[in-house]
Amino acid sequence: MFKANPAALTMRLPALEVAVENGPLNRIEDEATTDPIQIFQREAKQNLLEPNDSSAKFGYMKLQVTEAQITRGGKGFHVIQMLGMLTPSLLGIPIEYFRTKLRAELQVIDANGDVVGSYVGTGSSNVRVAMYHGYSQTAAPRLADAEALRQALAQIKPQLDSAATRLRAHLITAGPMTGEESVPTGTGQEIELAPAAASTTQPNEE
């Protein structure tokens, strides 16, 4: 679920603090809340940032999910499954689908707290719940969110790659953080960003 895209930046950025604001993907009732954080941390470590051999950090890289639409489809399949006493599921007919569409924004912020780059990507997914040829009702919504986020990051990465030389020069010139800065915890409280769209924490049924 958390496998990073193998493509790396042509010129990686210096070490940065990494934070995530889940926004509409927050689901307090399950562990899926940490999924975007793990996905982005792995992406940043493997493909975006230089290996950090010291404690020096040159700012922040923050990912915010600003919009998300989470839907649950397949009412027709429910009827078929109930009429067939779930036998159709044994034949590979899906039970339902989980779909996620989202918009994500990545901000690069220097040690002075100034935003030096902002990049946006979108993603969508369609994950089916089925026996043998699908996922469980527990795994499907998490996989739908993860796949949509990976697609958004895949759109953001070329934008970041094009700006990497400029960003790297600026971050190094601004210098490392002194330890007195307020570092984002991943909740989006320390660095003010545009408000996220209204949350859809429970899937809308189609």
Side-chain angles (χ1 to χ4, degrees):
M1 182 184 296
F2 306 126
K3 186 177 180 180
N5 187 306
L9 296 185
T10 304
M11 178 175 289
R12 299 193 186 206
L13 301 181
L16 301 169
E17 287 285 351
V18 175
V20 174
E21 168 54 69
N22 292 343
L25 289 187
N26 268 332
R27 290 181 180 149
I28 299 174
E29 73 279 5
D30 61 39
E31 61 183 347
T33 300
T34 65
D35 290 350
I37 299 171
Q38 294 185 57
I39 291 170
F40 186 52
Q41 285 180 337
R42 182 164 295 184
E43 180 70 49
K45 180 179 180 180
Q46 294 185 8
N47 297 319
L48 307 181
L49 305 177
E50 289 182 340
N52 187 16
D53 296 328
S54 69
S55 59
K57 298 290 179 68
F58 290 80
Y60 320 107
M61 177 177 283
K62 180 151 184 163
L63 182 71
Q64 183 185 34
V65 179
T66 56
E67 300 174 12
Q69 180 182 4
I70 303 167
T71 57
R72 187 175 181 176
K75 285 185 177 180
F77 291 124
H78 288 175
V79 174
I80 294 173
Q81 296 290 353
M82 294 305 295
L83 291 177
M85 302 291 289
L86 296 181
T87 300
S89 64
L90 299 176
L91 301 177
I93 295 178
I95 298 173
E96 61 183 336
Y97 287 89
F98 283 88
R99 302 182 178 99
T100 298
K101 294 181 179 180
L102 60 79
R103 177 183 184 273
E105 178 181 6
L106 185 151
Q107 290 189 336
V108 178
I109 304 162
D110 67 18
N112 300 316
D114 296 325
V115 177
V116 295
S118 182
Y119 312 95
V120 173
T122 60
S124 62
S125 62
N126 185 29
V127 178
R128 69 177 183 174
V129 176
M131 295 183 66
Y132 309 124
H133 301 288
Y135 298 92
S136 70
Q137 288 180 315
T138 300
R142 297 180 64 187
L143 287 168
D145 291 353
E147 177 58 28
L149 186 60
R150 276 196 290 262
Q151 288 185 17
L153 287 171
Q155 288 187 7
I156 289 172
K157 195 182 297 184
Q159 303 172 51
L160 193 62
D161 198 27
S162 297
T165 300
R166 176 186 65 82
L167 293 173
R168 179 181 174 83
H170 181 100
L171 292 168
I172 292 176
T173 299
M177 296 188 291
T178 63
E180 299 177 356
E181 298 85 352
S182 180
V183 178
T185 62
T187 61
Q189 295 176 348
E190 288 78 1
I191 295 178
E192 293 296 329
L193 299 174
S199 297
T200 307
T201 55
Q202 295 294 338
N204 294 325
E205 295 192 359
E206 295 179 342

